[in-house]
Structure formats: structure tokens, C-alpha cells
Amino acid sequence: MGTAARSLVTEAAHDGIRTLTLDSPHNRNALSTRLVAQLYDALERAGADDTVRAVLLTHTGSTFCAGADLGEASAAGAPADAPLALARLLRTVVAFPKPVVARVTGHVRAGGTGLLAACDISVAGPGATFAFTEARIGVAPAVISMTVLPRTDPRAMARYYLTGERFGPQEAARIGLVTLAADDVDEALEPVLDGLRRGSPQGLAESKRLVTREVLAAFDRDTGTLAELSARLFASDEAREGMTAFLERREPEWAVRQTPAR
């Protein structure tokens, strides 16, 4: 079955937990227009189902989410409102009336970190790696800052936003990007999911509202400005070169080569 016909977000339910699995391995679960639309639909169904206490967001393959679909973003006729669409998705997850828990056993890059940070609770396994790679392709982590920055250590984010370095689950937990790093993700999730099953719908919704207040305030304040910044950067010559270099698996023209040590 071709990618045009298959579902990019699969659903399963068990004991009050609705599992949504990002299943788009051909582009490393990138936030393509189709995947985002299907994720919206799945969230809407979970939100309307009174038997669902929480959503568990996970993935197939070795990547949780690679962020923007650069093939789509660099193509002629790419949607100009993509940054606003991403902001709407992230805000939907933050404002979702039920807890959203992320199960991460693979790589998380760029916009994928924004989706991860939008989740209320997250557990990362030993195979997980993280990086904010936007500056390396000529853009900036603008829209995702609304979920990332209120929940993470400012000095750490200054480093990782600027350098694009990869880091592992223990560091991600230390700086607040994930809730917990664990050798066995499913074992670590057991008490978390059990606790959510014991919560009342009203109690969970109102408790979540308390802990997401500052994040939602960032969306209300900054969505327009940051979406405009992101759109401008993605339309720039540097971003076109950066995305092309990434897709061609080469260094962009601005990269400085180190002089070998003598």
C-alpha cells in the first residue's frame, strides 16, 4: 500500500488510554500536511470519547518526529501558512482537555521537539536523541519556542538552540525537555498511566489547565509574531540553501571548515 493511501496516524485503545502512533517512516514522521491533519482527527476522536482518560503519543521506527517536512517545505507552492498550522497543532495539544503523554524511543529533531514539549508528561528511552537543528538550515526554532522555552532551562536552551548539538535522554530530563529518562520506557510509564486512569475527567482537565497556563499565555501573546518570523525565514535565500543542502546530504555554503590541528 502506498503512502498516499495508508494512515499516517494509527489508533488503539486499552483501559482508558488512547494510543496515537505516528507512522510515517518514509519521512521520519515529519509534520507533513497529511500527518498533521490525521493527528487532528485522531485527537478530536479521543477528546469526544468519554472512556478515554489520556492520550499516549508514540511512534514507529527510529524517529519520534523529525519536525517540518523539508521536502514539502522546499517545494514550489509550499503552503505559506505552515508556521501558523504548526502553532495551531501545538496549541491544540497543550489545550487538549485530557493529559497527553509522549513515549519516545527514537530521535526528536527541530519541530518534533515542539510537539514533544507540548505534551504534559514524556518518557524517553536510551535510544532517544534530541537536537534543535534549525539554525543549521538557516531558520530558527520560532513557533516551537512557545512550548519549549516555558518548560526548559534557559541556559541549556541558549546552548542547544545556537549549536544544534545532539543530546541524550538524561540531558533532556535534566533541562526539562522530557519528564523522565528510563532504560525501560514502558515500565516507567506504568505508574504514570495508572495514575491518569484513576483521575476524574473534571479533575484531570482542571489540573492540566493549571499547569499549562503559562504556555497558553505564550501562544496568546506570541503566535502571530513568531509565525511571521518563521514564514519569513523559511522564504529566505539562506533557508532555501539550507534545506537543499540537507536534502542533498551536504554542508550548506556558509559552513566553516575547521583547520586541522598541527
Side-chain angles (χ1 to χ4, degrees):
M1 185 180 294
T3 57
R6 66 190 295 273
S7 176
L8 304 183
V9 179
T10 62
E11 302 176 53
H14 181 69
D15 292 341
I17 306 300
R18 179 69 56 85
T19 299
L20 306 182
T21 302
L22 306 182
D23 188 17
S24 184
H26 72 284
N27 64 357
R28 302 189 304 151
N29 294 324
L31 297 170
S32 64
T33 301
R34 285 187 60 236
L35 184 143
V36 169
Q38 291 182 19
L39 185 53
Y40 270 125
D41 290 343
L43 287 169
E44 184 176 5
R45 285 188 288 272
D49 189 338
D50 291 339
T51 68
V52 174
R53 288 292 173 272
V55 168
L56 180 65
L57 184 63
T58 188
H59 60 100
T60 61
S62 61
T63 301
F64 172 76
C65 180
D69 185 334
L70 295 185
E72 188 175 270
S74 62
D81 64 346
L84 274 176
L86 175 59
R88 285 194 294 268
L89 174 64
L90 300 184
R91 195 186 194 286
T92 296
V93 175
V94 175
F96 194 67
K98 302 177 183 185
V100 180
V101 180
R103 176 188 180 276
V104 182
T105 60
H107 310 304
V108 190
R109 296 289 184 270
T113 61
L115 179 60
L116 174 64
C119 297
D120 302 291
I121 301 169
S122 51
V123 179
T129 66
F130 308 84
F132 296 87
T133 52
E134 287 88 345
R136 295 190 179 190
I137 64 166
V139 296
V143 169
I144 67 169
S145 288
M146 292 185 286
T147 57
V148 172
L149 294 184
R151 291 175 161 170
T152 53
D153 175 77
R155 297 300 292 170
M157 297 321 301
R159 172 181 178 177
Y160 293 124
Y161 265 33
L162 295 173
T163 67
E165 294 171 86
R166 285 182 292 180
F167 53 96
Q170 296 291 341
E171 176 69 353
R174 184 190 73 80
I175 67 177
L177 183 60
V178 301
T179 308
L180 179 66
D183 291 334
D184 188 323
V185 172
D186 294 317
E187 181 180 6
L189 281 168
E190 284 181 10
V192 173
L193 299 180
D194 182 62
L196 297 176
R197 290 186 182 100
R198 294 170 184 267
S200 79
Q202 175 178 272
L204 291 171
E206 293 303 323
S207 296
K208 174 168 178 171
R209 196 186 307 274
L210 292 172
V211 297
T212 57
R213 182 177 298 169
E214 289 187 17
V215 183
L216 290 174
F219 277 93
D220 294 340
R221 182 185 65 242
D222 298 330
T223 292
T225 300
L226 293 178
E228 182 180 350
L229 170 62
S230 183
R232 176 171 60 79
L233 292 175
F234 268 95
S236 68
D237 291 340
E238 282 194 19
R240 281 191 289 274
E241 163 61 13
M243 290 187 286
T244 300
F246 176 84
L247 294 171
E248 293 177 352
R249 299 180 181 276
R250 62 172 174 81
E251 291 280 4
E253 61 185 14
W254 60 74
V256 178
R257 274 64 173 180
Q258 285 184 301
T259 303
R262 295 184 178 182

